[in-house]
Amino acid sequence: MNVKTMMVIGAGQMGAGIAQVFAQAGFQVKLNDLSEDALQKGKSGIEKRLSRAVEKERISEGEKAATLERLQTTTKLEDSYDCDLVIEAVVENMDVKTNVFQTLDKHAPSHAILASNTSSLPITEIAAVTERPSQVIGMHFMNPVPVMKLVEIIRALQTSDETYEAIETITKQLSKTPVEVNDFPGFVSNRVLMPMINEAIYTVYEGVATPEAVDEVMKLGMNHPMGPLTLADFIGLDTCLYIMEVLHEGFGDSKYRPCPLLRQYVKAGWLGKKSGRGFYQYS
Ligand code: CAA
Ligand code: NAD
C-alpha cells in the first residue's frame, strides 16, 4: 500500500508529535482537533521543535519550511476523504474513540487504514465499530514522539496481515522500530510501565518518601532517564489514571487498582506538566 496523505486526529502532545514525524518523513499531513485554538497550539509546538532542530544543524531552514508546507490543519473529520492512513490520538476514552472511528469510517476512503495511538484500550473493540475491521490496528508511539524510537504495533483479532505489513513498513519509513504485540489491556508497554508508576504514587501516598526522593532513587539507582513521578507528570496524570483503570477492569486483578492519590490529583485538575501542576509545579 502506498501512503501519500495521512491524517492525525488530536493535536495534543502525542498527535502533534506524530504529525511532525510524518511531515518530516515526506508525507502530506492533515492535523485535526476540535478547535482552532488546539490546532494552533499543536502547530506552534511543531514549529518550535523544528526551529530548534535548525539551530542544532540537524535540519536546514529549507527542510523546516518544506515540512511545514506538508502540514495542514482542519477541524473537520470529513477532510479525511483523500487520506490513505488516519491515526487517532484523542483522549484515552473508549466512547470518544469509538465515536471518532465511526465518523472516520464514513468519510475516509474504503482502502484507508484507521490506526489508534491508544495507550491501553482494546483495538479489537475499536475495530468492531467500523465496517472495515481488518484495516484497523494499534500504532502506539512513545512520548516524546520525535525522540523515542519505538512504535508498538497492536494487532486486533480482526487485523489483516496486509494492514500489519503496511504499518510495519511505514514505521520503518519514519526511522522508528516496530514491535508486534497482541491485543491485551495495556499491551506490553503500559502493562509493565504503568504499575511501576502507580506503585511510585503509592509510596508517596503512604508517606514512604517525597516525590523528589522516589524519583532520585529510580534515576540514580536504576538509571532511568526520568523518575516515575516526573514521567507520570510528563505523560499526563489523567492518561495514567485511564490506563490503570483499563488494566484494573481488563484483568479484574486488585494489583492494578489505581492509587487514591492519583484519582485525587486528577479530580483537582492537577494533570501534570500540561496543566502546570502535578507531583511538581511547572508554572
Ligand atoms: N518533544 C520533543 N523533543 C523533546 C521533548 C519533547 N517533549 N523533550 C525533549 N526533547 C528532545 C530535546 O529537544 C533534545 O533533543 P536535541 O538533542 O535535538 O536538543 C532531546 O530530546 C534530549 O532532551 P534533553 O537533553 O533536554 O533532556 P534529556 O536528555 O533528559 O531527554 C527525554 C529528555 C528524551 C524526554 C528523556 O528524559 C527520556 O527519555 N525520558 C523518558 C521518556 C519515556 O519514558 N517515554 C515513554 C513514556 S510512556 C509512553 O509514551 C507510552 C504511553 O502510552 C503512556
Ligand atoms: P492530550 O490531552 O495532550 O491531547 C488530546 C487532544 O485530543 C486534545 O488536543 C483534544 O482537544 C483532542 N480531542 C479530544 N477529543 C477529540 C475529538 N473528538 N476529535 C478531535 N480531537 C479531539 O493527550 P495525549 O497525551 O496527546 O494523548 C492522546 C492519546 O495518546 C491517548 O489515547 C493517550 O493514551 C495516548 N498516548 C499518550 C502518551 C503520553 O505519554 N501522553 C503516550 C502514548 C500514547
Side-chain angles (χ1 to χ4, degrees):
M1 180 179 181
N2 191 12
V3 172
K4 287 199 177 113
T5 303
M6 61 85 64
M7 191 177 210
V8 181
I9 317 298
Q13 54 178 341
M14 294 306 290
I18 295 168
Q20 179 186 333
V21 296
F22 270 91
Q24 281 190 275
F27 295 87
Q28 292 296 326
V29 178
K30 296 182 179 184
L31 180 59
N32 165 276
D33 206 298
L34 296 172
S35 69
E36 287 297 339
D37 261 12
L39 287 172
Q40 246 349 88
K41 209 171 147 208
K43 195 168 175 196
S44 81
I46 295 173
E47 282 165 355
K48 259 191 225 145
R49 289 193 291 274
L50 292 175
S51 298
R52 203 176 139 83
V54 172
E55 272 167 38
K56 295 219 152 187
E57 297 181 351
R58 296 228 166 89
I59 61 170
S60 67
E61 272 294 350
E63 281 168 321
K64 176 187 158 190
T67 299
L68 290 173
E69 241 167 63
R70 285 192 286 271
L71 182 72
Q72 288 174 27
T73 56
T74 173
T75 54
K76 298 194 191 87
L77 289 183
E78 293 89 314
D79 285 339
S80 60
Y81 69 90
D82 63 347
C83 292
D84 310 303
L85 166 68
V86 184
I87 302 178
E88 166 280 313
V90 306
V91 60
E92 188 74 348
N93 174 292
M94 196 57 165
D95 290 341
V96 181
K97 287 195 192 283
T98 49
N99 236 313
V100 167
F101 271 77
Q102 278 169 330
T103 311
L104 286 172
D105 200 26
K106 286 196 196 111
H107 298 293
S110 60
H111 72 272
I113 292 177
L114 305 182
S116 175
N117 182 54
T118 177
S119 295
S120 58
L121 292 165
I123 307 295
T124 301
E125 201 175 322
I126 295 174
V129 304
T130 73
E131 302 287 323
R132 61 180 97 191
S134 66
Q135 289 158 242
V136 175
I137 193 162
M139 193 174 186
H140 185 205
F141 290 82
M142 301 293 124
N143 188 9
V145 180
V147 179
M148 306 296 281
K149 286 283 168 210
L150 175 71
V151 178
E152 192 177 35
I153 305 182
I154 304 108
R155 274 183 187 264
L157 278 186
Q158 309 95 318
T159 307
S160 68
D161 288 346
E162 204 183 346
T163 300
Y164 177 79
E165 280 149 23
I167 294 300
E168 188 183 53
T169 303
I170 291 162
T171 301
K172 290 179 184 160
Q173 285 169 352
L174 301 174
S175 306
K176 299 210 180 279
T177 304
V179 175
E180 180 184 350
V181 310
N182 288 324
D183 188 20
F184 279 87
F187 319 128
V188 171
S189 53
N190 282 314
R191 183 169 176 175
V192 176
L193 173 69
M194 218 35 84
M196 181 194 73
I197 286 178
N198 195 46
E199 205 55 34
I201 299 171
Y202 264 109
T203 60
V204 174
Y205 178 63
E206 290 171 3
V208 179
T210 62
E212 289 81 357
V214 174
D215 277 352
E216 205 72 339
V217 166
M218 298 304 287
K219 264 173 65 178
L220 301 183
M222 283 76 194
N223 246 1
H224 289 192
M226 282 175 167
L229 300 167
T230 304
L231 183 57
D233 275 0
F234 180 61
I235 291 168
L237 299 186
D238 51 344
T239 301
C240 293
L241 178 58
Y242 293 140
I243 297 169
M244 284 312 298
E245 281 170 343
V246 168
L247 291 173
H248 195 205
E249 199 193 315
F251 292 114
D253 188 327
S254 66
K255 75 178 174 182
Y256 297 112
R257 77 260 174 263
C259 178
L261 188 62
L262 175 60
R263 285 194 192 284
Q264 213 177 9
Y265 272 41
V266 173
K267 282 200 182 117
W270 297 353
L271 306 183
K273 210 171 171 192
K274 66 183 167 187
S275 74
R277 179 166 185 176
F279 289 99
Y280 299 95
Q281 193 86 36
Y282 298 90
S283 50

